[in-house]
Amino acid sequence: MTQHDSPALPAHRPGASGQSPDAPSLSRTTRPWMPALLYTLGFLTVYLLAICTPWGQRAENALFGLGKQGGEEAWIYPLSGAAYGSTPLPPLELSAKPTLMVGLAVIVVLTLVRRCWWQGCAALGVVILTTGGKEVLKSTLPRPDLVGAPENLLDQGFPSGHTAIPAALTLAAVLVVSPRIRPYIATAGVLWLACIAAASATMGGHRPSEVLGATLLACAWYGLATWLLPPVAAPGATRSTRALPVITLTVALVIALVSGARNDTLTRSLVSAATAFICAALVWYAAVGRPAHTARRTRPALR
């Protein structure tokens, strides 16, 4: 074979690096601090607009004037635990603390079985800081009476503790379960959250702002946890079927409509359902809708 017949060797061999010559190389992994900041800003915005403005207070107080006081007219009332002899749907009424304890125990067991120490600590932190933080915020954040509201509407309930539990436990579970089942665990948690958030709002235990504030608080702690995790321990992009987000959010909307329904007022039912659906969408997006860590792309390597 002459020199002219020999094939020219490529200057860059894709097999050596696993990338094509035109593919951009990936540099260091960046930490997504922006979601945690946005959820925190959302939490503060809900508090300031709904609780610290006269028109926000009037709007939410007016919901309590629609229909009868109490939750007896809500469709989900027989499952709320408020009815005599009824078993509450966790974590409503007296089932709140047992639900929280069982959830924490499950997280600990999953951490020990899978030996995911960083993720387990982050998951426990999300639950403890969310549920403990709502107790601190309830006692420290002022609820000024700007509209001369009746005494029964002056109770401090921001954020909602009943909503904080399913939101925090769902996001914590996402951190410690296997990536293969992560979207399905998130789906179950989101549907649970849609039910509890709608029930809490429609039965008069909490205002829509309190339900939404609890969800944003849980998402903010989850965003902070994924930011602080080492890159090797942080959950990557969650793969799921294309139909799963549509199916999950559609079923969540149906559950929110049924759980928020009342016999005496359509407006209050729809507002409660809309609030619960927003909460479900926020948790789904935080848990599944985006990668916890994203890679920063650089310019293609010169050949």
Side-chain angles (χ1 to χ4, degrees):
M1 180 180 293
T2 63
Q3 183 178 4
H4 296 286
D5 295 331
S6 61
L9 294 177
H12 175 79
R13 292 187 298 173
S17 61
Q19 292 182 342
S20 63
D22 297 329
S25 60
L26 298 179
S27 65
R28 64 183 180 87
T29 302
T30 59
R31 292 183 174 182
W33 52 267
M34 184 61 72
L37 176 61
L38 292 178
Y39 289 129
T40 303
L41 291 177
F43 176 86
L44 294 175
T45 300
V46 170
Y47 170 73
L48 293 175
L49 293 182
I51 296 178
C52 298
T53 63
W55 55 268
Q57 288 189 5
R58 289 193 182 95
E60 290 201 304
N61 290 344
L63 289 175
F64 287 84
L66 299 176
K68 299 179 181 179
Q69 294 294 324
E72 291 82 359
E73 294 296 321
W75 291 8
I76 201 171
Y77 181 74
L79 300 177
S80 67
Y84 179 76
S86 64
T87 301
L89 181 68
L92 298 177
E93 293 294 333
L94 297 178
S95 66
K97 289 185 178 180
T99 302
L100 180 59
M101 294 299 104
V102 170
L104 289 172
V106 170
I107 292 172
V108 171
V109 171
L110 288 173
T111 300
L112 295 175
V113 171
R114 300 194 66 238
R115 297 182 179 180
C116 50
W117 313 120
W118 284 107
Q119 296 92 330
C121 291
L124 291 175
V126 169
V127 177
I128 293 173
L129 291 174
T130 300
T131 56
K134 63 94 180 174
E135 294 293 342
V136 175
L137 292 172
K138 277 185 177 182
S139 59
T140 57
L141 290 178
R143 181 186 290 277
D145 182 14
L146 304 178
V147 296
E151 185 176 357
N152 64 321
L153 298 182
L154 299 180
D155 293 336
Q156 172 62 289
F158 185 89
S160 165
H162 291 104
T163 307
I165 292 175
L169 288 178
T170 298
L171 293 171
V174 166
L175 287 170
V176 295
V177 298
S178 170
R180 290 183 298 177
I181 66 172
R182 185 180 300 152
Y184 306 104
I185 295 297
T187 294
V190 162
L191 300 183
W192 180 31
L193 172 63
C195 176
I196 300 303
S200 298
T202 198
M203 290 193 300
H206 290 284
R207 296 167 173 80
S209 63
E210 296 167 353
V211 172
L212 186 57
T215 304
L216 287 167
L217 181 64
C219 290
W221 285 122
Y222 175 81
L224 181 62
T226 56
W227 177 31
L228 295 177
L229 278 173
V232 294
T238 301
R239 295 182 179 180
S240 62
T241 61
R242 293 183 178 181
L244 185 59
V246 176
I247 294 174
T248 298
L249 294 180
T250 300
V251 176
L253 177 59
V254 174
I255 291 177
L257 288 170
V258 174
S259 302
R262 293 178 61 94
N263 296 319
D264 53 353
T265 166
L266 178 61
T267 301
R268 187 168 170 180
S269 301
L270 293 178
V271 170
S272 301
T275 303
F277 177 74
I278 293 173
C279 292
L282 285 170
V283 170
W284 174 264
Y285 177 76
V288 181
R290 63 174 181 84
H293 281 48
T294 56
R296 177 179 296 174
R297 294 184 178 273
T298 59
R299 286 180 294 182
L302 297 177
R303 286 186 285 178

